[in-house]
Amino acid sequence: MTGTPPLADLAWARGYTDPAWARWHTTSGRELLPSCRVWRGSGTPEPLPSPSPVPSPSSRGRQEAGSPEAPDALDGLDFEGPHGRSLSLAELLAGAETDALLVLHRGTLVHERYLHGYEPHVPHFNASAAKSYLGLVAAVLAHEGALDRDAEVTKYVPELAGTAFGEARVDHLLHMGTRMSYAGRPYDKALEAQRYFAVLAPRLRPYGYTGPATIREHLATARATGVPGVEFRYENGNVEALAEVLRRVTGTTTSALLSEMIWSRIGAEEDAYYVLDGEGTEAACGGFSATARDLARFGEMVRLGGALGDRQIVPEAVASTIVSGVPDGYPRRVRFPAAPPDAPATLSYHDLWWVPNDPYGSFMASGIHGQRLFVSPALDLVVVHYASQIVSPSLPQAPLVQAFLRIGARLQG
């Protein structure tokens, strides 16, 4: 109709209600967008000890939860689902649209499942869980004195002067402490997240799109709507601004930095990768993909205070204080991004890691569609969960954190 805008906003919802569409994107990033590898290094892959022979990659790729090919340390375990309903492990994984579930207990791989045709050697989209990995890198650089947490962002990236991020300090970025709006729009978290996807992927842009085409252009449209360091607001721009700070500090790309500091040192089996924007800049806030086994290696390293065997990969003072180092103020009481506004603020947030404040000192990297890296030192537990879960207010999300704690309690006996 003349004078009626095209159905532009329909594009924003695409994929969020279709698990097959989501699964295509979570496993095919390199085919859909430019990418840059995070090199695994030249060393031998670090073994993941198993209590029984792990099936070959070809058979693992065909497994369904509970199949006789896959001895299960969690057989018979039930979980509490929505409305108090009891769920078996298979039902929990089905409800979460799980692609992979790996469980390490005391360094031993006690459970490994791949579903919906997803295969062990294929890197899987980590979404916002990638924020936490960058936060760990930043914390290490700060510990080593290369990065000043208290410095204004413009000390490192003068071009961000006048934006919501340039007025903040580095520590505000690490704790989601900025308030902003983009391009003069009233801030809406869900819509801004989807517009960020359009920055990266031309095919996701709605008809007539005239917005930013690169991450740099996107950040330039952010204007402060409040004083930084007062209130928690989960926003991708904080992480992209932080990534640019780290690039200026180290003189290297995000991909090379993560490889050098962590990925090439954990005995990874496969290269990971970041997808890139139109200028070749990594999508640091959520464009990272890796195999489940390699993410389990990463999680085990953090659980062990930054060490694997006799190799201290991350300083113990950094890895062991993700929970205990939560600063006073707004990072101590936060809500999960999908939580209703009236939900209690029971979580904490430190250096881009989620802290559930459970009795076990657990912490977590978390991303849309069900991506999780859950580390619980007191339970000797690392859980990797990859999924293509539907995002819809009409469907309850799978109770993954509660399930991970239930698994940990079972394994502890």
Side-chain angles (χ1 to χ4, degrees):
M1 294 174 58
T2 303
T4 301
L7 298 177
D9 284 342
L10 284 181
W12 299 132
R14 185 181 178 193
Y16 286 82
T17 57
D18 182 354
W21 188 93
R23 187 164 289 112
W24 176 45
H25 279 262
T26 57
T27 57
S28 305
R30 279 185 297 212
E31 291 74 32
L32 297 170
L33 290 168
S35 64
C36 183
R37 73 169 181 167
V38 178
W39 186 40
R40 61 164 293 276
S42 58
T44 303
E46 187 78 19
L48 285 176
S50 175
S52 58
V54 175
S56 67
S58 59
S59 65
R60 283 203 306 266
R62 296 191 303 269
Q63 283 181 26
E64 294 295 325
S67 75
E69 290 181 295
D72 190 0
L74 306 180
D75 277 342
L77 189 60
D78 61 350
F79 304 87
E80 183 176 345
H83 312 297
R85 179 189 168 207
S86 179
L87 301 175
S88 67
L89 178 61
E91 290 171 327
L92 175 77
L93 300 184
E97 292 288 346
T98 300
D99 298 327
L101 177 68
L102 272 66
V103 179
L104 274 69
H105 185 240
R106 297 174 183 162
T108 297
L109 183 64
V110 298
H111 183 95
E112 184 176 26
R113 289 292 183 277
Y114 299 90
L115 304 168
H116 299 109
Y118 175 57
E119 296 183 279
H121 65 278
V122 176
H124 192 287
F125 188 50
N126 276 224
S128 288
K131 293 176 170 66
S132 303
Y133 320 152
L134 190 74
L136 187 67
V137 168
V140 171
L141 292 172
H143 176 78
E144 294 174 345
L147 176 69
D148 183 357
R149 288 176 174 268
D150 294 324
E152 291 187 357
V153 171
T154 49
K155 172 184 175 180
Y156 299 109
V157 191
E159 299 92 315
L160 287 176
T163 73
F165 309 110
E167 297 177 10
R169 300 184 182 277
V170 172
D171 202 62
H172 297 151
L173 304 183
L174 282 161
H175 294 96
M176 299 288 180
T178 63
R179 292 185 61 82
M180 81 301 293
S181 65
Y182 288 97
R185 297 185 297 269
Y187 184 80
D188 181 284
K189 179 192 174 298
L191 184 58
E192 293 304 341
Q194 293 158 19
R195 285 184 178 274
Y196 173 81
F197 299 153
V199 170
L200 293 175
R203 66 184 299 157
L204 296 183
R205 294 172 189 166
Y207 180 84
Y209 178 82
T210 59
T214 66
I215 294 169
R216 176 180 56 83
E217 292 175 359
H218 178 63
L219 295 183
T221 71
R223 296 293 179 267
T225 58
V227 177
V230 174
E231 182 179 344
F232 179 86
R233 176 182 277 181
Y234 189 81
E235 166 51 36
N236 289 329
N238 289 303
V239 185
E240 297 301 354
L242 176 67
E244 185 58 28
V245 168
L246 301 188
R247 287 189 282 266
R248 302 295 176 94
V249 167
T250 63
T252 191
T253 65
T254 303
S255 301
L257 183 62
L258 184 61
S259 172
E260 176 187 345
M261 294 183 64
I262 295 178
W263 214 253
S264 65
R265 305 177 65 196
I266 60 172
E269 292 180 69
E270 305 285 347
D271 293 340
Y273 70 87
Y274 280 101
V275 296
L276 308 175
D277 73 358
E279 292 183 326
T281 300
E282 294 95 342
C285 74
F288 177 83
S289 291
T291 68
R293 282 185 147 230
D294 286 342
L295 193 62
R297 291 176 169 91
F298 173 82
E300 181 68 1
M301 176 271 292
V302 182
R303 181 185 77 85
L304 294 174
L308 281 178
D310 59 357
R311 306 191 309 278
Q312 192 70 40
I313 296 164
V314 170
E316 184 177 6
V318 173
S320 64
T321 57
I322 292 174
V323 175
S324 63
V326 178
D328 291 333
Y330 69 93
R332 284 193 175 271
R333 306 292 289 181
V334 304
R335 297 180 184 86
F336 208 59
D342 58 349
T346 58
L347 306 174
S348 296
Y349 197 78
H350 181 43
D351 288 348
L352 306 180
W353 290 88
W354 295 96
V355 178
N357 292 318
D358 60 33
Y360 311 107
S362 307
F363 50 95
M364 178 176 66
S366 173
I368 195 171
H369 298 304
Q371 322 318 324
R372 302 286 189 274
L373 171 61
F374 186 83
V375 181
S376 190
L379 291 175
D380 303 312
L381 181 73
V382 173
V383 180
V384 175
H385 183 268
Y386 283 161
S388 301
Q389 190 170 10
I390 295 170
V391 177
S392 170
S394 65
L395 293 173
Q397 299 295 289
L400 293 174
V401 173
Q402 298 92 321
F404 300 157
L405 291 173
R406 178 94 169 93
I407 288 171
R410 164 70 172 266
L411 294 172
Q412 289 288 72

